[in-house]
Each structure stands twice: as structure tokens, then as C-alpha cells.
């Protein structure tokens, strides 16, 4: 099974930008769906952004227009570009290849270690 490791988190001021990277242990060319999730203190883990093999994207309403997900299959990596960051974006961010469920293709149950994003002045 392909494993994923997140990186690129850190402390940024509100309105700032940050790009997260997710590097896979093997090829991602054939993986249909890739996604970023986050979990803030006291909250449940939520889908932030997803991208399919054919380029279809899905974003949480709270990040639409601010975040962009992309995949680089030759580098076995995918990314989350985060712009105009808000304190509400503070969370641990995780990447995964969701296996899907009967209700959503974005359901995942195998997680990397995550990377902390803190947005604060």
C-alpha cells in the first residue's frame, strides 16, 4: 500500500500563504482520488480539498477561492496551495488517497502523520 508523508506546515500571519506537500512512497499515477483533510482542536477531521485522476476537484465551502489542490504524478506528490489564510484554518493537515464509501468517494481511513498549520498574529 502507498504511504504518504505531509510537509510544509508552519506558523503564518492572517492573510499569508503556505503550500503543503504530500509525497507518496510509490507511484500515484493510477490512484483515482487524492485529498487533503484537516483537524482543528476539538473538531472532527474534515475534507479540505480533493482531486481525481481526471482533474475534477472538490473543495470545502470554507476554503473555496483560497485553496488550490494539484497533483504531480511524475514526482509522486500532490500539493495544497493555501492563500489568504485565516485563524480558522489552524489545524493539523493530513493527506491521503481516499478509498471511498457508499456515500462519498472522499472517505479515507489511512492517514499520514500530518503537518501543523497555525495562522496567528
Amino acid at each position: 500500500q502507498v504511504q504518504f508523508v505531509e510537509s510544509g506546515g508552519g506558523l503564518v500571519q492572517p492573510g499569508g500563504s503556505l503550500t503543503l506537500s504530500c509525497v507518496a512512497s510509490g507511484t500515484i499515477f493510477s490512484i483515482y482520488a487524492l485529498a487533503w483533510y484537516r483537524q482543528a482542536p476539538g473538531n472532527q477531521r474534515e475534507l479540505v480539498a480533493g482531486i481525481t485522476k481526471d482533474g475534477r476537484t472538490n473543495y470545502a465551502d470554507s476554503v473555496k477561492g483560497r485553496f488550490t489542490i494539484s497533483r504531480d504524478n511524475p514526482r509522486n506528490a500532490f500539493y495544497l496551495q493555501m492563500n489568504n489564510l485565516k485563524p480558522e484554518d489552524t489545524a493539523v493537515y493530513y493527506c491521503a488517497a481516499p478509498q471511498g464509501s457508499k456515500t462519498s468517494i472522499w472517505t479515507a481511513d489511512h492517514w499520514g502523520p500530518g503537518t501543523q498549520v497555525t495562522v496567528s498574529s
Side-chain angles (χ1 to χ4, degrees), residues 33-89:
L34 301 167
W36 286 94
Y37 306 78
R38 68 185 181 189
Q39 186 168 25
N43 293 350
Q44 294 183 337
R45 200 191 309 262
E46 64 174 345
L47 174 71
V48 177
I51 186 168
T52 64
K53 187 178 180 179
D54 57 1
R56 180 169 63 90
T57 57
N58 185 42
Y59 295 95
D61 288 341
S62 59
V63 308
K64 286 180 179 177
R66 299 189 297 120
F67 290 10
T68 302
I69 187 171
S70 62
R71 60 192 292 171
D72 190 341
N73 292 336
R75 292 186 172 89
N76 295 327
F78 65 107
Y79 310 96
L80 184 67
Q81 181 183 357
M82 304 183 293
N83 298 322
N84 192 25
L85 283 161
K86 305 176 184 296
E88 311 90 83
D89 297 317

Side-chain angles (χ1 to χ4, degrees), residues 84-117:
N84 192 25
L85 283 161
K86 305 176 184 296
E88 311 90 83
D89 297 317
T90 296
V92 178
Y93 284 70
Y94 303 87
C95 61
Q99 79 282 0
S101 70
K102 60 284 180 184
T103 59
S104 174
I105 68 168
W106 305 112
T107 300
D109 58 10
H110 296 92
W111 307 102
T115 185
Q116 176 72 47
V117 172

